[in-house]
Amino acid sequence: MVGEIAMNHEMLGRTAEEAQANPVREPISDVVAGRHDEALAKLRVLLRRGMPSRTVEWLRLTLKSAYYPSKPISALDRYPPELLVFSSQGRRIATVRIAPRSGAYIVEVAQTGPDDVVLPDRVTLVPGDSPGKAAALIPGYLP
């Protein structure tokens, strides 16, 4: 029996399958996840001035049963964390993650068209040593 634990992704605006199909969604080590958390924390400090945000950790737990006397096997995969930024009305306005290999900020700004039709996000890469530039791309950010 294989089971996966996934969080509720309705508030993220995407399904678990879409998130796992993303090429940025390769499993990462705990050390790399720690570096990503630190980079997102720098950005989150800049956004604390009135912009609600939340860091989301992505994990996949796989459980495999075994015949007695063998013990069950489990595996835990970590994926790059994301920083979600919301408007004061609770809508997601941006998602920021760290590129696994380059360490650059990947800033995805939500887009809407006429009559609030949801459009694909506008994606911009910002060098990892420039959290201020990444923050400036988020609508409503005031330095």
Side-chain angles (χ1 to χ4, degrees):
M1 170 178 105
V2 176
E4 293 183 9
I5 299 173
M7 63 182 287
N8 183 351
H9 299 292
E10 291 174 14
M11 69 176 251
L12 305 180
R14 66 181 81 113
T15 66
E17 292 79 20
E18 290 171 330
Q20 287 184 344
N22 188 328
V24 179
R25 291 257 161 240
E26 298 171 359
I28 59 175
S29 70
D30 291 341
V31 173
V32 173
R35 280 190 242 137
H36 288 204
D37 285 335
E38 289 173 11
L40 291 175
K42 290 177 188 174
L43 182 59
R44 194 165 187 195
V45 166
L46 294 173
L47 297 176
R48 284 210 172 123
R49 300 180 190 121
M51 298 191 80
S53 62
R54 172 163 297 187
T55 301
V56 177
E57 298 287 336
W58 294 78
L59 305 171
R60 181 177 65 190
L61 177 62
T62 305
L63 304 172
K64 295 180 181 179
S65 62
Y67 292 104
Y68 183 79
S70 299
K71 293 184 179 181
I73 301 169
S74 66
L76 179 65
D77 293 320
R78 293 182 67 108
Y79 293 89
E82 295 179 335
L83 178 67
L84 304 175
V85 183
F86 301 95
S87 70
S88 57
Q89 293 83 24
R91 289 187 131 176
R92 182 190 68 89
I93 57 173
T95 301
V96 183
R97 68 175 62 97
I98 307 300
R101 292 180 182 90
S102 68
Y105 289 97
I106 302 171
V107 182
E108 299 175 3
V109 178
Q111 304 290 304
T112 57
D115 298 325
D116 288 331
V117 174
V118 177
L119 301 173
D121 290 352
R122 185 181 72 234
V123 180
T124 308
L125 290 175
V126 178
D129 60 353
S130 303
K133 289 181 182 178
L137 293 172
I138 298 172
Y141 171 71
L142 299 172

